[in-house]
mmCIF file of all heavy atoms in Angstrom:
data_model
loop_
_atom_site.group_PDB
_atom_site.id
_atom_site.type_symbol
_atom_site.label_atom_id
_atom_site.label_comp_id
_atom_site.label_asym_id
_atom_site.label_seq_id
_atom_site.Cartn_x
_atom_site.Cartn_y
_atom_site.Cartn_z
ATOM 1 N N ALA A 147 72.185 17.756 -25.298
ATOM 2 C CA ALA A 147 72.340 16.520 -26.067
ATOM 3 C C ALA A 147 73.028 15.443 -25.225
ATOM 4 O O ALA A 147 72.634 14.264 -25.259
ATOM 5 C CB ALA A 147 73.139 16.792 -27.339
ATOM 6 N N ARG A 148 74.055 15.827 -24.478
ATOM 7 C CA ARG A 148 74.738 14.858 -23.613
ATOM 8 C C ARG A 148 73.792 14.348 -22.532
ATOM 9 O O ARG A 148 73.786 13.151 -22.199
ATOM 10 C CB ARG A 148 75.989 15.497 -22.989
ATOM 11 C CG ARG A 148 77.139 15.688 -23.973
ATOM 12 C CD ARG A 148 78.393 16.171 -23.281
ATOM 13 N NE ARG A 148 78.325 17.570 -22.893
ATOM 14 C CZ ARG A 148 78.770 18.580 -23.658
ATOM 15 N NH1 ARG A 148 79.291 18.353 -24.845
ATOM 16 N NH2 ARG A 148 78.686 19.822 -23.218
ATOM 17 N N ASN A 149 72.995 15.246 -21.972
ATOM 18 C CA ASN A 149 72.023 14.863 -20.958
ATOM 19 C C ASN A 149 71.004 13.886 -21.549
ATOM 20 O O ASN A 149 70.664 12.862 -20.937
ATOM 21 C CB ASN A 149 71.342 16.122 -20.420
ATOM 22 C CG ASN A 149 70.491 15.861 -19.205
ATOM 23 O OD1 ASN A 149 69.464 15.202 -19.316
ATOM 24 N ND2 ASN A 149 70.882 16.391 -18.060
ATOM 25 N N TYR A 150 70.527 14.210 -22.746
ATOM 26 C CA TYR A 150 69.548 13.350 -23.426
ATOM 27 C C TYR A 150 70.136 11.965 -23.690
ATOM 28 O O TYR A 150 69.463 10.943 -23.509
ATOM 29 C CB TYR A 150 69.131 14.005 -24.735
ATOM 30 C CG TYR A 150 68.165 13.195 -25.550
ATOM 31 C CD1 TYR A 150 66.810 13.129 -25.205
ATOM 32 C CD2 TYR A 150 68.593 12.485 -26.672
ATOM 33 C CE1 TYR A 150 65.916 12.383 -25.961
ATOM 34 C CE2 TYR A 150 67.706 11.732 -27.422
ATOM 35 C CZ TYR A 150 66.367 11.689 -27.067
ATOM 36 O OH TYR A 150 65.489 10.945 -27.811
ATOM 37 N N TRP A 151 71.402 11.920 -24.099
ATOM 38 C CA TRP A 151 72.042 10.644 -24.391
ATOM 39 C C TRP A 151 72.124 9.787 -23.125
ATOM 40 O O TRP A 151 71.926 8.562 -23.179
ATOM 41 C CB TRP A 151 73.421 10.892 -24.987
ATOM 42 C CG TRP A 151 74.103 9.687 -25.554
ATOM 43 C CD1 TRP A 151 75.360 9.253 -25.259
ATOM 44 C CD2 TRP A 151 73.594 8.773 -26.529
ATOM 45 N NE1 TRP A 151 75.670 8.133 -25.988
ATOM 46 C CE2 TRP A 151 74.600 7.799 -26.782
ATOM 47 C CE3 TRP A 151 72.376 8.674 -27.212
ATOM 48 C CZ2 TRP A 151 74.419 6.757 -27.683
ATOM 49 C CZ3 TRP A 151 72.201 7.623 -28.118
ATOM 50 C CH2 TRP A 151 73.221 6.683 -28.331
ATOM 51 N N ASP A 152 72.387 10.420 -21.983
ATOM 52 C CA ASP A 152 72.361 9.677 -20.722
ATOM 53 C C ASP A 152 70.955 9.158 -20.443
ATOM 54 O O ASP A 152 70.779 8.006 -20.007
ATOM 55 C CB ASP A 152 72.817 10.569 -19.562
ATOM 56 C CG ASP A 152 74.327 10.711 -19.493
ATOM 57 O OD1 ASP A 152 75.033 9.927 -20.156
ATOM 58 O OD2 ASP A 152 74.805 11.608 -18.766
ATOM 59 N N GLU A 153 69.939 10.009 -20.643
ATOM 60 C CA GLU A 153 68.551 9.579 -20.436
ATOM 61 C C GLU A 153 68.206 8.388 -21.325
ATOM 62 O O GLU A 153 67.406 7.524 -20.941
ATOM 63 C CB GLU A 153 67.590 10.729 -20.732
ATOM 64 C CG GLU A 153 67.597 11.858 -19.712
ATOM 65 C CD GLU A 153 66.961 11.457 -18.394
ATOM 66 O OE1 GLU A 153 66.008 10.650 -18.409
ATOM 67 O OE2 GLU A 153 67.426 11.936 -17.349
ATOM 68 N N MET A 154 68.803 8.342 -22.501
ATOM 69 C CA MET A 154 68.551 7.260 -23.457
ATOM 70 C C MET A 154 69.461 6.062 -23.226
ATOM 71 O O MET A 154 69.572 5.180 -24.074
ATOM 72 C CB MET A 154 68.724 7.780 -24.885
ATOM 73 C CG MET A 154 67.734 8.862 -25.263
ATOM 74 S SD MET A 154 66.014 8.299 -25.166
ATOM 75 C CE MET A 154 65.974 7.175 -26.546
ATOM 76 N N GLY A 155 70.124 6.031 -22.076
ATOM 77 C CA GLY A 155 70.961 4.888 -21.735
ATOM 78 C C GLY A 155 72.188 4.753 -22.589
ATOM 79 O O GLY A 155 72.725 3.658 -22.732
ATOM 80 N N ARG A 156 72.608 5.886 -23.183
ATOM 81 C CA ARG A 156 73.774 5.878 -24.085
ATOM 82 C C ARG A 156 73.653 4.799 -25.154
ATOM 83 O O ARG A 156 74.625 4.128 -25.512
ATOM 84 C CB ARG A 156 75.077 5.733 -23.294
ATOM 85 C CG ARG A 156 75.352 6.937 -22.395
ATOM 86 C CD ARG A 156 76.646 6.844 -21.655
ATOM 87 N NE ARG A 156 76.942 8.140 -21.031
ATOM 88 C CZ ARG A 156 77.678 9.092 -21.615
ATOM 89 N NH1 ARG A 156 78.187 8.889 -22.811
ATOM 90 N NH2 ARG A 156 77.902 10.232 -20.995
ATOM 91 N N GLY A 157 72.434 4.648 -25.654
ATOM 92 C CA GLY A 157 72.187 3.725 -26.756
ATOM 93 C C GLY A 157 71.832 2.313 -26.353
ATOM 94 O O GLY A 157 71.622 1.460 -27.227
ATOM 95 N N ARG A 158 71.735 2.054 -25.057
ATOM 96 C CA ARG A 158 71.387 0.708 -24.569
ATOM 97 C C ARG A 158 69.966 0.724 -24.015
ATOM 98 O O ARG A 158 69.657 1.478 -23.092
ATOM 99 C CB ARG A 158 72.362 0.263 -23.481
ATOM 100 C CG ARG A 158 73.775 0.007 -23.990
ATOM 101 C CD ARG A 158 74.732 -0.277 -22.833
ATOM 102 N NE ARG A 158 74.127 -1.170 -21.844
ATOM 103 C CZ ARG A 158 74.191 -0.963 -20.518
ATOM 104 N NH1 ARG A 158 74.794 0.116 -20.040
ATOM 105 N NH2 ARG A 158 73.651 -1.821 -19.695
ATOM 106 N N GLU A 159 69.128 -0.110 -24.570
ATOM 107 C CA GLU A 159 67.718 -0.123 -24.167
ATOM 108 C C GLU A 159 67.559 -0.419 -22.679
ATOM 109 O O GLU A 159 66.725 0.181 -22.002
ATOM 110 C CB GLU A 159 66.950 -1.155 -24.987
ATOM 111 C CG GLU A 159 65.464 -1.185 -24.678
ATOM 112 C CD GLU A 159 64.696 -2.153 -25.551
ATOM 113 O OE1 GLU A 159 65.308 -2.761 -26.455
ATOM 114 O OE2 GLU A 159 63.477 -2.316 -25.329
ATOM 115 N N ASP A 160 68.365 -1.346 -22.139
ATOM 116 C CA ASP A 160 68.203 -1.731 -20.745
ATOM 117 C C ASP A 160 68.684 -0.649 -19.774
ATOM 118 O O ASP A 160 68.459 -0.748 -18.573
ATOM 119 C CB ASP A 160 68.916 -3.047 -20.443
ATOM 120 C CG ASP A 160 70.433 -2.945 -20.587
ATOM 121 O OD1 ASP A 160 70.914 -1.962 -21.206
ATOM 122 O OD2 ASP A 160 71.137 -3.833 -20.080
ATOM 123 N N ALA A 161 69.364 0.395 -20.298
ATOM 124 C CA ALA A 161 69.858 1.478 -19.442
ATOM 125 C C ALA A 161 69.069 2.769 -19.626
ATOM 126 O O ALA A 161 69.404 3.778 -19.001
ATOM 127 C CB ALA A 161 71.338 1.731 -19.716
ATOM 128 N N MET A 162 68.035 2.754 -20.467
ATOM 129 C CA MET A 162 67.208 3.957 -20.656
ATOM 130 C C MET A 162 66.470 4.276 -19.360
ATOM 131 O O MET A 162 65.935 3.377 -18.698
ATOM 132 C CB MET A 162 66.215 3.742 -21.792
ATOM 133 C CG MET A 162 66.844 3.661 -23.168
ATOM 134 S SD MET A 162 65.644 3.208 -24.439
ATOM 135 C CE MET A 162 64.511 4.616 -24.360
ATOM 136 N N HIS A 163 66.428 5.548 -19.000
ATOM 137 C CA HIS A 163 65.875 5.926 -17.708
ATOM 138 C C HIS A 163 64.360 5.738 -17.623
ATOM 139 O O HIS A 163 63.841 5.288 -16.602
ATOM 140 C CB HIS A 163 66.250 7.371 -17.380
ATOM 141 C CG HIS A 163 67.715 7.568 -17.188
ATOM 142 N ND1 HIS A 163 68.265 8.745 -16.723
ATOM 143 C CD2 HIS A 163 68.766 6.725 -17.392
ATOM 144 C CE1 HIS A 163 69.578 8.624 -16.660
ATOM 145 N NE2 HIS A 163 69.904 7.418 -17.071
ATOM 146 N N GLY A 164 63.636 6.122 -18.672
ATOM 147 C CA GLY A 164 62.186 5.969 -18.644
ATOM 148 C C GLY A 164 61.753 4.526 -18.471
ATOM 149 O O GLY A 164 60.981 4.202 -17.554
ATOM 150 N N PRO A 165 62.217 3.611 -19.338
ATOM 151 C CA PRO A 165 61.883 2.198 -19.152
ATOM 152 C C PRO A 165 62.362 1.629 -17.823
ATOM 153 O O PRO A 165 61.763 0.706 -17.279
ATOM 154 C CB PRO A 165 62.595 1.526 -20.333
ATOM 155 C CG PRO A 165 62.645 2.584 -21.382
ATOM 156 C CD PRO A 165 62.873 3.857 -20.634
ATOM 157 N N MET A 166 63.467 2.188 -17.291
ATOM 158 C CA MET A 166 63.966 1.737 -15.998
ATOM 159 C C MET A 166 62.923 2.000 -14.907
ATOM 160 O O MET A 166 62.685 1.162 -14.024
ATOM 161 C CB MET A 166 65.270 2.466 -15.673
ATOM 162 C CG MET A 166 66.112 1.829 -14.589
ATOM 163 S SD MET A 166 67.610 2.786 -14.260
ATOM 164 C CE MET A 166 68.479 2.637 -15.828
ATOM 165 N N LEU A 167 62.285 3.177 -14.974
ATOM 166 C CA LEU A 167 61.231 3.505 -14.006
ATOM 167 C C LEU A 167 60.024 2.591 -14.205
ATOM 168 O O LEU A 167 59.429 2.108 -13.238
ATOM 169 C CB LEU A 167 60.831 4.973 -14.162
ATOM 170 C CG LEU A 167 59.773 5.497 -13.199
ATOM 171 C CD1 LEU A 167 60.280 5.473 -11.756
ATOM 172 C CD2 LEU A 167 59.363 6.926 -13.583
ATOM 173 N N ALA A 168 59.674 2.361 -15.467
ATOM 174 C CA ALA A 168 58.541 1.472 -15.751
ATOM 175 C C ALA A 168 58.817 0.048 -15.271
ATOM 176 O O ALA A 168 57.920 -0.644 -14.768
ATOM 177 C CB ALA A 168 58.255 1.478 -17.256
ATOM 178 N N GLU A 169 60.064 -0.398 -15.413
ATOM 179 C CA GLU A 169 60.446 -1.735 -14.942
ATOM 180 C C GLU A 169 60.298 -1.839 -13.426
ATOM 181 O O GLU A 169 59.835 -2.854 -12.898
ATOM 182 C CB GLU A 169 61.875 -2.047 -15.357
ATOM 183 C CG GLU A 169 62.340 -3.430 -14.932
ATOM 184 C CD GLU A 169 63.801 -3.684 -15.246
ATOM 185 O OE1 GLU A 169 64.553 -2.712 -15.476
ATOM 186 O OE2 GLU A 169 64.205 -4.853 -15.236
#
Side-chain angles (χ1 to χ4, degrees):
R148 287 186 286 267
N149 190 292
Y150 178 77
W151 190 232
D152 281 346
E153 289 289 327
M154 297 300 290
R156 295 182 169 268
R158 292 173 43 225
E159 183 177 356
D160 65 344
M162 291 173 63
H163 295 188
M166 197 181 296
L167 182 65
E169 181 185 18

